[in-house]
Amino acid sequence: MRCSRVRCTTLDYSCLPIPEVLPQDRSYKERSCRANTMPYLGSEDAIKDLKRALCNPHIQADRLRYRNVIHKVIRHMTQGVDVSSVFMEMVKASATVDIVQKKLVYLYMCTYAAHKPDLALLAINTLCKDCSDPNPMVRGLALRSMCNLRMPGIHEYIQQPIYNGLRDKASYVRRVAVLGCAKLNMLQGDMEVDGGIVNELYSLLRDPDPIVLVNCLRALEEILKEEDGVVINKPIAHHLLNRLADLDHWGQSEVLTFLLRYRPRTEEEIFDILNLLDSYLKSTHISVVTGATKLFLVLAKGFPHVQVDVLARLKAPLLSACTSECKEMCFAALCHVREILRSFPGHFSAHYKKFFCSYNDPHYIKNQKMDILCELVNDENVLSVLEELRVCCTDVSAQLAHTAIFAIGRIARTYSENCVKILAGLLEFKQEHITSAVIQTFRDLVWLCPQCTPSVCTALPGCEENIQDNEGKRALIWLLGMHGEHIPNAPYVLEDYADNVKAETSSLVKMELLTALVRLFLTRPAECQDTLGRLIYYSIEEETNMAVRDRGLFYYRLLSTGVNEVKKILNSPKSDPSLGVLVDQKEEPVNTWVSNFNTLVPLYDIRHWDVLTSSSGRSNLSCATDHLPTVEHTSIVTSDVTSIVDSGETPEKQQPFTLISDVAITPEAFEKKWMATDSAYRLDIAWKEGVDPGILQTSLHVMNIYTIAKSKAGAQLWKSYLYAQDTEDNLFLSEIILNTDTPCLQTNVKTNAEGEGAVQQFASLLKTAVATILALSR
């Protein structure tokens, strides 16, 4: 049969029926209802069709068709469609010998058991029966599904199957049962830890299956967390060391972490353990290498030569990780390289090209690489490193360009001549952010390296036209006041700033201008007298900021005593070269940072890490992941966010603070509530100059703190208004103002919550978000 081909012709639209036009006063809801007459994937008709198909005996008789219908139910569930109405039919479908069908049905039941607890009880008998099935895969699947049911009283049903699973002949069932012990402990809540389960898990550490061994360690760590976790004594430690070869890479890294808790008693035992660990320093997996390295460094605290040898062997794996395509692994490796450089500054100098920035590197990796390059500079590679940094100075990212310019400034303390030429050349671009960063670098450079002063003074004329930010203005004004006798147009530049002082918003710039003019007046009085008089008059008579007014009064009274008295007071040194000497800095011993090695601390820096973990009241840095907030699908739960001293409660009595995600508020309602609510809490959060405050919105959104309005990027007075709601229906309204003078985030929180506990917990979340952003942008 031949297929006829239809020719395309011109259609006469006059013969087509004209659709009825809805009246203009019809509501949007009415029009949307007409548009939704066609069924879609998640409509009620589609769910009813699935329910009828699951009840159809003809489909149930055909295993393949029956499984396809169940597949459709799971597909709807994963797409967010509510298919809880077919729960009863899915429970019936679990009574089958088809293991694939069982997996699908059990996945469905684990998802909706919390919504249908009464119906979920009907599936308990089927699950208990499957726990005794001859097929070990079915037994393990049933036991895992029972442990994942989130419903009240479920621990009464799963306790005996877990006990039976711990003694099962199949290793797969034992793996599931061991992890089920941790889930059972979590479901029991504040009940006393079952000593029988703990003893059973300790005995299973000698299980022939390596995965059971690792799961036992994880389960014991969770069950005994109130007692500082699992205890590693000499027999257990030696057993774990002998079983390392049987484990996979992740199991080896986990066991190596637990072995850090064991302290050998004799030197002979230490070296026996080090000999066993030697082969793992050659592993192809970076987590195993870093875990073995840390254990080496901890055990060899009294043998510095052993630590040096181990770090030398770590060089190749770390360099390989630094060039990994996985950006997260690359960042972690770079942070650990910086840790090593604290004790061995030239450790990676021969491989400095490995730390050159690639075009597709994210900015946080480029920042780390530039910091490392500053540590690796020597006489042989200084030109190559400076050329690499010079290219980064013109990056489209202003923040990255600032980092590169400041890196050149750090190198200039040792190689000043080459660096000053590069920095002076950057001024020719006449870009605002580049010029500001260069001027700030010049300010620090002339203070630390006075031999650079003539070159810097030569490059300064004309820079004032391209500086708009406060920090750049302050740096330029300081240079003009301190070294204005060598800059021809210095009095006239300061005069322009003085004439526009009424439009200046930063009090720090005004005070810097006063000091600079007084200093320059001492060397060039004829050109500065009139300008200084007008500025002091303005500061005393018209200025509203009391700090500026007091500074003006101070200089007025000081000048009244005579020029000689002013010179005695302001005749301070113009530089301090001792601060710029880098070669005399002490190298830190390895033991000062080894406890933080292979944890999250190097990624955040110890100062930012202390800020993140200060609210939790914990000090054990070896378990770094315990300090991070847990982000769920619909809420963020942060425990112990307020200090025990403030709350007056023990950690066990504190309730978790939860912000919900499904909250919305209109701008009109926000404004009405804001005006009607008194301020409940005020705090200042430290910020860093040059970091865009707009990125706060993304970080806070993850914590279910939403932004309703904020200023545009680059605004002189940046503001942001936030709102959030917790599970107790407490509404939190917040105003954040960026104070560029300090800089800090001035935060004002208003809430309808009673007491200070909730608002302090909300403020702690804000501090955590800000600290995380500053840690990633350093």
Side-chain angles (χ1 to χ4, degrees):
M1 180 177 178
R2 294 174 56 188
C3 179
S4 60
R5 182 173 299 176
V6 180
R7 298 187 61 185
C8 181
T9 59
T10 304
L11 295 178
D12 184 9
Y13 291 98
S14 62
C15 64
L16 297 177
I18 300 176
E20 178 185 359
V21 180
L22 289 174
Q24 294 296 327
D25 57 348
R26 295 281 182 93
S27 66
Y28 173 78
K29 183 177 181 180
E30 181 179 355
R31 284 179 283 148
S32 62
C33 289
R34 290 193 57 178
N36 289 336
T37 55
M38 293 184 64
Y40 61 98
L41 182 62
S43 66
E44 295 182 1
D45 294 338
I47 305 302
K48 291 179 180 179
D49 291 341
L50 288 174
K51 191 169 186 177
R52 284 193 294 267
L54 289 171
C55 297
N56 192 332
H58 299 289
I59 295 178
Q60 292 176 357
D62 189 339
R63 179 182 297 181
L64 185 59
R65 291 181 62 190
Y66 198 27
R67 186 194 296 177
N68 288 337
V69 176
I70 296 175
H71 265 294
K72 290 181 181 180
V73 174
I74 300 300
R75 187 182 304 118
H76 282 64
M77 182 185 72
T78 55
Q79 291 174 346
V81 180
D82 184 12
V83 289
S84 59
S85 58
V86 299
F87 194 94
M88 196 64 175
E89 289 74 15
M90 293 293 285
V91 171
K92 295 178 181 179
S94 63
T96 178
V97 296
D98 186 359
I99 190 170
V100 176
Q101 182 173 321
K102 278 185 179 291
K103 287 182 179 180
L104 295 173
V105 174
Y106 288 164
L107 174 63
Y108 172 88
M109 287 194 298
C110 292
T111 304
Y112 285 105
H115 301 83
K116 303 281 186 178
D118 297 334
L119 295 178
L121 287 175
L122 301 176
I124 295 296
N125 290 334
T126 303
L127 290 168
C128 291
K129 181 180 178 181
D130 286 345
C131 287
S132 303
D133 194 272
N135 188 346
M137 294 299 296
V138 175
R139 297 200 301 270
L141 177 63
L143 182 57
R144 186 181 65 182
S145 302
M146 288 183 69
C147 296
N148 288 334
L149 292 177
R150 297 292 184 262
M151 49 186 292
I154 189 62
H155 64 276
E156 299 177 1
Y157 300 95
I158 66 176
Q159 190 169 8
Q160 189 59 42
I162 287 177
Y163 278 121
N164 297 336
L166 293 175
R167 300 175 177 88
D168 199 281
K169 295 180 180 179
S171 60
Y172 172 69
V173 182
R174 296 199 302 273
R175 297 175 190 175
V176 176
V178 168
L179 294 180
C181 293
K183 296 178 182 179
L184 177 63
N185 179 76
M186 181 182 64
L187 292 173
Q188 290 177 340
D190 296 333
M191 295 179 62
E192 187 177 353
V193 176
D194 190 347
I197 288 183
V198 174
N199 293 333
E200 191 74 24
L201 291 176
Y202 269 116
S203 65
L204 281 175
L205 289 176
R206 298 190 178 276
D207 192 275
D209 186 74
I211 299 181
V212 174
L213 183 151
V214 177
N215 287 356
C216 281
L217 290 173
R218 292 168 177 162
L220 285 170
E221 184 70 14
E222 179 66 24
I223 295 172
L224 302 175
K225 60 183 178 182
E226 299 297 335
E227 304 174 12
D228 296 331
V230 60
V231 177
I232 306 296
N233 54 23
K234 183 176 180 179
I236 294 178
H238 286 209
H239 173 68
L240 294 178
L241 287 167
N242 292 326
R243 293 292 303 277
L244 272 176
D246 301 332
L247 305 177
D248 59 1
H249 293 314
W250 296 112
Q252 289 174 352
S253 61
E254 190 83 8
V255 169
L256 288 170
T257 303
F258 281 106
L259 286 172
L260 290 169
R261 303 180 182 183
Y262 177 63
R263 292 293 179 267
R265 298 182 179 180
T266 63
E267 182 178 325
E268 181 181 0
E269 185 181 1
I270 290 176
F271 282 98
D272 288 341
I273 295 176
L274 295 182
N275 290 332
L276 288 173
L277 294 174
D278 186 76
S279 60
Y280 298 100
L281 296 175
K282 306 173 185 177
S283 175
T284 57
H285 203 274
I286 185 63
S287 66
V288 178
V289 176
T290 53
T293 301
K294 181 172 182 178
L295 187 53
F296 250 96
L297 296 175
V298 170
L299 294 177
K301 280 188 175 182
F303 309 97
H305 64 282
V306 176
Q307 293 179 329
V308 174
D309 292 340
V310 172
L311 292 176
R313 297 176 64 179
L314 182 63
K315 184 185 300 183
L318 269 184
L319 289 174
S320 178
C322 289
T323 57
S324 172
E325 294 182 359
C326 178
K327 302 305 179 185
E328 292 78 9
M329 181 182 294
C330 179
F331 178 76
L334 291 170
C335 293
H336 282 79
V337 167
R338 292 191 61 185
E339 288 290 294
I340 296 175
L341 291 176
R342 291 167 57 183
S343 298
F344 305 98
H347 194 61
F348 294 89
S349 296
H351 308 278
Y352 70 95
K353 291 186 178 180
K354 294 282 187 179
F355 304 102
F356 281 3
C357 298
S358 178
Y359 74 95
N360 59 345
D361 283 341
H363 73 279
Y364 56 87
I365 288 183
K366 291 183 178 179
N367 289 341
Q368 290 291 329
K369 287 185 175 181
M370 285 188 283
D371 287 341
I372 292 174
L373 285 175
C374 293
E375 303 291 337
L376 301 182
V377 170
N378 54 36
D379 296 339
E380 298 177 357
N381 60 27
V382 60
L383 296 179
S384 300
V385 172
L386 287 177
E387 179 61 23
E388 170 68 15
L389 294 175
R390 188 191 65 80
V391 174
C392 296
C393 292
T394 57
D395 193 90
V396 293
S397 171
Q399 183 179 352
L400 186 65
H402 282 191
T403 304
I405 293 171
F406 295 148
I408 295 177
R410 290 171 56 187
I411 299 175
R413 301 173 189 178
T414 308
Y415 302 94
S416 56
E417 184 178 354
N418 295 328
C419 295
V420 171
K421 289 181 181 179
I422 293 176
L423 294 172
L426 293 174
L427 295 175
E428 299 177 0
F429 288 97
K430 298 188 181 299
Q431 296 290 325
E432 178 183 339
H433 66 280
I434 294 178
T435 304
S436 175
V438 170
I439 296 301
Q440 295 175 50
T441 305
F442 278 161
R443 174 193 58 189
D444 300 336
L445 197 56
V446 298
W447 179 259
L448 300 173
C449 306
Q451 69 273 14
C452 301
T453 303
S455 302
V456 171
C457 293
T458 304
L460 284 181
C463 295
E464 68 277 0
E465 301 174 359
N466 303 310
I467 300 179
Q468 299 297 327
D469 66 298
N470 295 332
E471 192 62 31
K473 290 179 182 178
R474 291 177 59 196
L476 178 61
I477 292 171
W478 184 89
L479 286 169
L480 295 175
M482 189 68 73
H483 302 281
E485 66 274 16
H486 305 299
I487 305 173
N489 65 337
Y492 311 107
V493 174
L494 294 179
E495 184 179 5
D496 290 339
Y497 280 117
D499 293 340
N500 299 311
V501 70
K502 293 182 179 180
E504 182 59 55
T505 59
S506 172
S507 59
L508 294 178
V509 174
K510 295 177 182 179
M511 289 189 289
E512 193 70 59
L513 182 61
L514 273 168
T515 304
L517 269 173
V518 172
R519 285 185 178 277
L520 193 57
F521 170 74
L522 299 178
T523 56
R524 303 173 70 169
E527 298 167 290
C528 298
Q529 182 176 358
D530 182 62
T531 305
L532 179 59
R534 286 187 283 112
L535 182 61
I536 291 179
Y537 176 83
Y538 166 80
S539 301
I540 298 175
E541 299 294 337
E542 302 181 28
E543 178 59 44
T544 58
N545 187 284
M546 295 306 297
V548 180
R549 184 174 180 272
D550 288 344
R551 181 71 61 90
L553 281 171
F554 169 75
Y555 284 127
Y556 173 75
R557 293 164 181 163
L558 183 61
L559 289 168
S560 300
T561 61
V563 176
N564 293 330
E565 295 296 328
V566 177
K567 289 182 178 180
K568 290 180 181 179
I569 294 177
L570 295 183
N571 191 19
S572 58
K574 296 185 177 183
S575 63
D576 189 359
S578 62
L579 297 177
V581 179
L582 301 181
V583 294
D584 293 338
Q585 290 185 351
K586 280 190 175 182
E587 300 174 0
E588 298 184 24
V590 176
N591 295 332
T592 59
W593 51 263
V594 67
S595 60
N596 300 331
F597 192 79
N598 200 28
T599 66
L600 291 178
V601 179
L603 277 64
Y604 283 93
D605 189 86
I606 186 64
R607 294 169 298 174
H608 297 105
W609 182 256
D610 289 341
V611 173
L612 288 174
T613 57
S614 59
S615 59
S616 65
R618 303 179 185 179
S619 60
N620 183 11
L621 297 179
S622 61
C623 300
T625 55
D626 293 343
H627 302 279
L628 295 179
T630 303
V631 181
E632 304 289 348
H633 292 293
T634 58
S635 66
I636 176 168
V637 181
T638 306
S639 300
D640 302 333
V641 291
T642 55
S643 64
I644 300 175
V645 177
D646 294 338
S647 64
E649 297 182 350
T650 60
E652 290 79 5
K653 294 182 180 180
Q654 289 195 10
Q655 298 296 326
F657 180 66
T658 307
L659 296 180
I660 61 177
S661 61
D662 52 345
V663 58
I665 186 172
T666 62
E668 293 78 11
F670 182 94
E671 183 178 5
K672 184 177 179 180
K673 293 179 181 294
W674 180 267
M675 299 299 295
T677 308
D678 295 332
S679 178
Y681 197 80
R682 294 179 181 272
L683 71 156
D684 291 339
I685 307 175
W687 192 249
K688 183 163 54 173
E689 187 78 21
V691 179
D692 182 16
I695 62 178
L696 263 175
Q697 182 177 2
T698 303
S699 179
L700 293 173
H701 185 82
V702 175
M703 296 182 169
N704 295 331
I705 303 175
Y706 302 103
T707 304
I708 196 168
K710 67 173 183 176
S711 303
K712 295 182 179 179
Q716 290 291 336
L717 184 62
W718 188 89
K719 290 185 178 182
S720 177
Y721 291 91
L722 315 170
Y723 68 93
Q725 185 174 345
D726 64 4
T727 53
E728 303 296 330
D729 293 332
N730 297 322
L731 184 65
F732 301 93
L733 310 178
S734 178
E735 177 190 43
I736 296 180
I737 302 176
L738 177 59
N739 186 352
T740 55
D741 296 342
T742 309
C744 69
L745 298 176
Q746 298 175 349
T747 306
N748 183 18
V749 182
K750 297 185 178 182
T751 181
N752 58 353
E754 297 181 359
E756 297 185 357
V759 70
Q760 289 179 353
Q761 291 174 325
F762 177 76
S764 180
L765 286 183
L766 293 178
K767 293 179 181 178
T768 301
V770 172
T772 303
I773 292 173
L774 295 181
L776 295 177
S777 62
R778 60 183 174 87

